[in-house]
């Protein structure tokens, strides 16, 4: 689905990602972990085609640079870390997820409306549909943006700390939703997690970044056994499987 | 009737009422019979016809065109920069137009007929310079580049005014802004330009809406953010430059009207654009009317009135700022 081949991303002369190579299989849930400043958000932005890079990135076997912005938006959706508090209602925000499928008039067709309704239902924001983003709590706003991302109906979901403002209960139901989407609709998910327990217990695969270099790519179990997490983060993992 | 439909009905009615008032009231009050007689020409070549067709109708059209143009400009600028304080002056429109006028007054004082063209040219070139510099850079770069270029051009204006103080008096007339002496023929090109910009803004309305989600989200939705922002800046500069070319440097319209438009239609940019067009017209027609009657037969320039009406009202809006205050 997604393949990085000797990819380097720089801001000016500073290399943020250094010679990264990995591939994500279709329908897998992959967690991207690493300390602050290790390049996780940059990797997601590069995968989304929002940054220039050296080396190659392939999406569905085609070079990322070969896609038009509209084609790309129909294949992958990105939920960044910082979500603006725009003057929009939840329903309008969710409807914006259909932008890649609309012509310049922006008129939603019946199919688009259906996708928007489904996305709002999946993220449990139907009752908030007429509320403005500024009237929502951090967790509710996060879910409203997730509705937009799901309405985009892309095969690859790139999520940057999607559960950052959610409480335990909402986090659990959201992770269940991602798992359902992954299994039923074969979505490929690449998400940044700061919660190591959630990442280890939940994801099929893990990518571990340290100072812009990929130091592990493989199954969660293999990562657990390697002891790399403890080495990189300097912590011992004791709590487990709270999200199951 | 929902709120959206109410707005679409009330604003045109309000605009019609203000326009009727503006045509009938002035240093000479026209009764209903005189007004219709003068307008339809049933009384032949009368004084009323002269007042209406030579003075009041051109002023009315001028106010409507300038009000709409400045409002579109402010609305677009506040959207693309994500800054509630952005207005036409922030992208160098005022400084560019002022510099163009100052150069004409200094080097070719006899060619006053060229002033609208040089004002437009100065405003548009200054903003193109800023757009060119800020293309594919951040939103704040647009503002900072605008401030820098404006400072440079304002220094040029001050320099030439120091060299020839007589030029300063003529320049002040332009910088205050006003609609007295506006002729229908000089409104045709600005009206056409602002009309075309209006249609383009409506066409790209749903894409422009996405800009409020920030560059990353908008890009991930397939919006070509850099190109769209550049297009918006060019449209904003064209609208404002067209308005100042015949109305001078009218302050506050481009800053205040977008705020009211967003209040009336907080979610949809297209509806905000329509509201801004109508509201900009209402504000300038009203200010022009007050300018003509308050100290009649003397006249107060419309630029002073827009600030006098606008500043307290804007202040009131800021105090009552609520949920949809964000851009």
């Amino acid at each position: 689905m997604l393949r990085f081949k000797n990819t380097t991303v720089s801001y000016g002369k500073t290399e943020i990602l250094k010679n990264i190579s990995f591939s994500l299989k279709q329908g897998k849930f992959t967690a991207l972990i690493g300390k602050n400043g290790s390049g996780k958000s940059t990797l997601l932005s590069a995968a989304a085609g929002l940054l220039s890079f050296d080396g190659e990135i392939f999406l569905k076997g085609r070079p990322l640079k070969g896609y038009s912005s509209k084609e790309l938006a129909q294949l992958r959706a990105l939920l960044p870390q910082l979500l603006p508090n725009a003057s929009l209602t939840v329903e309008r925000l969710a409807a914006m997820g259909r932008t890649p499928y609309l012509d310049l008039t922006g008129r939603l067709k019946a199919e688009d409306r259906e996708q928007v309704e489904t996305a709002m239902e999946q993220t449990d924001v139907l009752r908030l549909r007429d509320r403005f983003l500024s009237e929502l709590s951090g967790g509710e706003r996060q879910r409203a943006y997730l509705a937009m991302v799901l309405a985009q109906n892309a095969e690859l979901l790139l999520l940057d700390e999607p559960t950052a403002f959610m409480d335990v209960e909402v986090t659990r139901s959201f992770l269940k939703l991602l798992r359902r989407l992954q299994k039923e609709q074969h979505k490929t998910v690449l998400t940044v997690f700061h919660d190591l327990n959630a990442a280890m217990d939940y994801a099929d695969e893990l990518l571990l970044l340290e100072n812009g270099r990929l130091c592990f790519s493989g199954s969660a179990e293999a990562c657990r056994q390697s002891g790399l997490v403890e080495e990189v983060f300097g912590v011992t993992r004791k709590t487990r499987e709270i999200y199951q | 009737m929902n709120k959206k439909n109410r707005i679409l009905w009330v604003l045109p009615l309000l605009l019609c009422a203000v326009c009727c008032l503006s045509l009938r009231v002035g240093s000479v009050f026209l009764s209903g019979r005189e007004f219709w007689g003068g307008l339809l020409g049933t009384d032949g070549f009368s004084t009323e016809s002269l007042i209406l067709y030579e003075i009041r109708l051109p002023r009315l059209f001028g106010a409507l065109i300038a009000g709409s143009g400045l409002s579109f400009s402010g609305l677009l600028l506040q959207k693309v920069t994500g800054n509630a304080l952005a207005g036409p002056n922030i992208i160098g429109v005022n400084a560019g137009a002022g510099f163009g006028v100052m150069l004409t007054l200094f080097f070719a004082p006899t060619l006053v007929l060229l002033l609208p063209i040089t004002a437009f040219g100065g405003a548009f070139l200054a903003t193109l310079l800023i757009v060119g510099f800020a293309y594919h850079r951040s939103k704040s770069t647009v503002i900072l580049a605008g401030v820098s270029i404006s400072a440079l051009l304002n220094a040029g204006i001050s320099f030439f005014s120091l060299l020839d103080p007589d030029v300063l008096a003529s320049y002040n007339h332009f910088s205050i802004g006003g609609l007295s002496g506006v002729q229908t023929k000089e409104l045709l090109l600005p009206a056409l330009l602002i009309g075309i910009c209006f249609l383009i803004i409506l066409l790209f309305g749903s894409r422009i809406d996405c800009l409020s989600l920030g560059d990353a989200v908008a890009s991930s939705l397939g919006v070509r953010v850099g190109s769209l922002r550049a297009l918006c800046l060019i449209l904003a500069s064209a609208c404002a430059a067209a308005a100042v070319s015949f109305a001078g440097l009218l302050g506050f319209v481009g800053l205040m009207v977008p705020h009211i438009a967003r209040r009336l239609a907080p979610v949809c940019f297209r509806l905000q654009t329509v509201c801004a067009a109508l509201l900009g017209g209402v504000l300038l027609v009203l200010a022009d009317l007050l300018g003509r009657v308050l100290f009649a037969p003397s006249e107060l320039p419309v630029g002073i009135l827009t600030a006098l009406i606008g500043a307290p009202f804007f202040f009131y809006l800021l105090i009552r700022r609520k949920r949809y205050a964000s851009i």
Side-chain angles (χ1 to χ4, degrees), chain B residues 43-68:
Chain B
D43 300 336
F45 190 71
S46 61
T47 314
E48 288 79 21
S49 283
L50 197 70
I51 290 172
L52 283 172
Y53 283 101
E54 295 300 321
I55 302 169
R56 292 192 187 166
L57 274 171
R59 286 183 81 133
L60 176 69
F61 291 141
L64 293 174
I65 295 162
S68 309

Side-chain angles (χ1 to χ4, degrees), chain A residues 195-243:
Chain A
D195 184 339
L196 293 179
N197 287 313
M200 300 283 261
D201 292 338
Y202 189 78
D204 301 316
E205 308 271 333
L206 282 179
L207 296 176
L208 176 58
L209 279 176
E210 188 182 24
N211 295 326
R213 292 188 191 281
L214 189 65
C215 57
F216 179 84
S217 169
S219 71
E221 187 53 37
C223 186
R224 192 177 290 142
Q225 286 171 4
S226 71
L228 274 167
V229 171
E230 285 81 356
E231 192 180 307
V232 169
F233 287 90
V235 293
T236 308
R237 188 169 168 272
K238 289 179 179 170
T239 318
R240 287 184 59 191
E241 296 176 354
I242 59 168
Y243 295 104

Side-chain angles (χ1 to χ4, degrees), chain B residues 63-144:
Chain B
L64 293 174
I65 295 162
S68 309
L70 291 169
S71 303
F72 293 155
S73 179
L75 189 67
L76 279 169
L77 289 169
Q78 289 176 13
K79 191 70 162 180
V80 297
T81 60
N83 190 324
L85 291 174
N89 60 324
I90 210 88
I91 54 162
V93 168
N94 288 7
F99 190 67
V101 165
M102 180 55 89
L103 284 183
T104 315
L105 291 172
F106 190 83
F107 290 109
T110 52
L111 299 175
V112 284
L113 287 175
L114 283 181
L115 285 182
I117 297 167
T118 51
F120 179 85
F124 199 60
L125 285 177
T127 51
L128 279 188
L129 194 67
I130 291 161
V131 173
F133 180 75
Y135 184 65
H136 273 310
R137 289 190 171 90
S138 68
K139 289 185 277 193
S140 54
T141 310
V142 175
I143 295 171
L144 293 172

Side-chain angles (χ1 to χ4, degrees), chain A residues 34-53:
Chain A
K35 287 168 83 170
N36 287 341
S38 58
K40 303 184 293 296
S41 298
T42 304
L43 190 146
L44 279 195
S45 296
L50 304 184
L51 296 176
S52 54
F53 53 84

Side-chain angles (χ1 to χ4, degrees), chain A residues 63-120:
Chain A
L64 202 61
K65 289 171 182 168
Y67 285 100
S68 71
S69 51
K70 197 170 180 175
E71 283 174 329
L72 206 53
Q74 292 178 1
L75 276 177
R76 61 93 187 98
L78 171 73
L79 183 73
Q81 204 171 2
L82 293 174
L83 302 172
N85 192 6
S87 176
L88 293 168
T89 59
V90 170
E91 185 175 12
R92 179 81 182 109
L93 176 69
M96 281 182 170
R98 300 304 296 166
T99 302
Y101 302 91
L102 305 179
D103 56 21
L104 265 184
T105 64
R107 192 175 292 277
L108 293 174
K109 294 186 274 291
E111 184 196 341
D112 300 309
R113 289 187 194 286
E114 199 179 314
Q115 292 275 2
V116 173
E117 288 295 315
T118 308
M120 286 199 294

Side-chain angles (χ1 to χ4, degrees), chain B residues 220-280:
Chain B
S220 78
L221 291 172
V223 176
R224 294 165 71 182
V225 173
S227 308
L228 185 62
R229 187 178 291 143
L231 174 70
C232 288
L233 289 171
I234 289 168
L235 292 174
S237 62
C239 285
V244 300
S245 71
F246 66 89
L249 306 182
L250 296 174
F252 244 97
V253 183
L255 178 66
M256 184 179 70
V257 170
H259 282 263
I260 308 173
R262 272 199 303 277
R263 281 210 150 197
L264 294 174
V267 175
C268 175
F269 188 77
R270 283 192 177 120
L271 195 57
Q272 286 170 11
T273 308
V274 175
C275 287
L278 298 169
L279 279 165

Side-chain angles (χ1 to χ4, degrees), chain A residues 163 165-175 195 242-243:
Chain A
T163 57
F165 296 98
M166 294 176 183
D167 58 38
V168 175
E169 181 62 30
V170 179
T171 301
R172 194 168 60 179
S173 63
F174 172 68
L175 291 177
D195 184 339
I242 59 168
Y243 295 104

